[in-house]
């Protein structure tokens, strides 16, 4: 049954790009901030997978491995409560789910950046799904901006320099 659900999920995710066009973002935009920080999370998870044959299963492990979203230019961060999210400048970041099955060669995780209520990022949600298995190597990124869905190109925002 599990392989059926994975196949259905992948089939649906491949169909999603037809639902919305990939918007262009200004590299200094809030959208690009979320994209850059989640892309860094994906890269850190890939490094952890290569070293440990498993993704980090919680944010504490990711922070210990060196992942920390950028703070605001004034040194401030979004305040968070709990150990399942970390604050960046305008977003909170966290892991939604992690699956490590070294016996079958299936590894996946979903990460999220959520805009903070009462700030300019309110209503922005960015999700990344990463699947690595013997049969698939897949990444999907999408955003909701005040409820409006769009696909996201993780390479669409260069690092601020």
């Amino acid at each position: 049954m599990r392989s059926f659900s994975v196949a259905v999920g992948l089939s649906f995710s491949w169909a999603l790009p037809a639902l919305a066009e990939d918007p262009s973002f200004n590299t200094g935009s809030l959208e690009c901030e979320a994209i850059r920080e989640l892309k860094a999370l994906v890269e850190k998870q890939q490094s952890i997978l290569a070293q440990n044959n498993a993704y980090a299963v919680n944010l504490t492990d990711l922070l210990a491995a060196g992942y920390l979203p950028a703070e605001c230019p004034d040194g401030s961060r979004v305040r968070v409560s709990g150990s399942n999210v970390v604050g960046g400048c305008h977003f909170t970041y966290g892991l939604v789910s992690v699956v490590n099955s070294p016996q079958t060669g299936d590894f996946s995780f979903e990460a999220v950046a959520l805009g903070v209520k009462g700030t300019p990022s309110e209503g922005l949600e960015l999700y990344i799904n990463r699947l690595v298995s013997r049969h698939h190597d897949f990444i999907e990124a999408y955003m909701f901006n005040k409820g409006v869905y769009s696909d996201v190109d993780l390479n669409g925002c260069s690092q601020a320099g």
Side-chain angles (χ1 to χ4, degrees):
M1 183 64 160
R2 180 172 177 217
S3 62
F4 175 74
S5 64
V6 170
V8 169
L10 288 175
S11 298
F12 178 71
S13 63
W14 287 331
L16 287 177
L19 299 177
E21 291 187 23
D22 186 11
S24 297
F25 300 116
N26 175 314
T27 58
S29 69
L30 289 172
E31 292 89 352
C32 280
E33 177 184 329
I35 291 167
R36 282 190 299 269
E37 297 305 330
L38 275 188
K39 185 175 177 184
L41 187 150
V42 168
E43 290 167 356
K44 183 55 69 177
Q45 279 285 57
Q46 287 304 114
S47 172
I48 292 168
L49 177 65
Q51 291 175 352
N52 302 326
N53 198 33
Y55 283 128
V57 295
N58 58 51
L59 200 57
T60 302
D61 293 342
L62 268 171
L63 294 171
Y67 172 73
L68 186 62
E71 60 192 18
C72 292
D74 67 2
S76 65
R77 292 184 177 280
V78 170
R79 290 182 182 246
V80 298
S81 60
S83 61
N84 61 340
V85 293
V86 64
C89 183
H90 294 100
F91 295 86
T92 61
Y93 301 89
L95 292 171
V96 176
S97 65
V98 178
V99 174
N100 288 313
S101 296
Q103 303 83 355
T104 62
D106 296 319
F107 303 92
S108 67
F109 69 90
E110 181 178 21
V112 64
L114 297 173
V116 177
K117 187 173 183 168
T119 72
S121 66
E122 182 176 1
L124 288 173
E125 302 174 32
L126 175 65
Y127 295 87
I128 293 180
N129 294 297
R130 180 76 171 109
L131 168 69
V132 176
S133 74
R134 287 185 232 168
H135 307 290
H136 302 284
D137 189 340
F138 180 77
I139 192 164
E140 172 187 46
Y142 57 95
M143 182 177 289
F144 290 97
N145 187 346
K146 297 179 179 31
V148 177
Y149 173 91
S150 61
D151 288 312
V152 171
D153 177 2
L154 291 179
N155 297 313
C157 298
S158 64
Q159 287 285 33

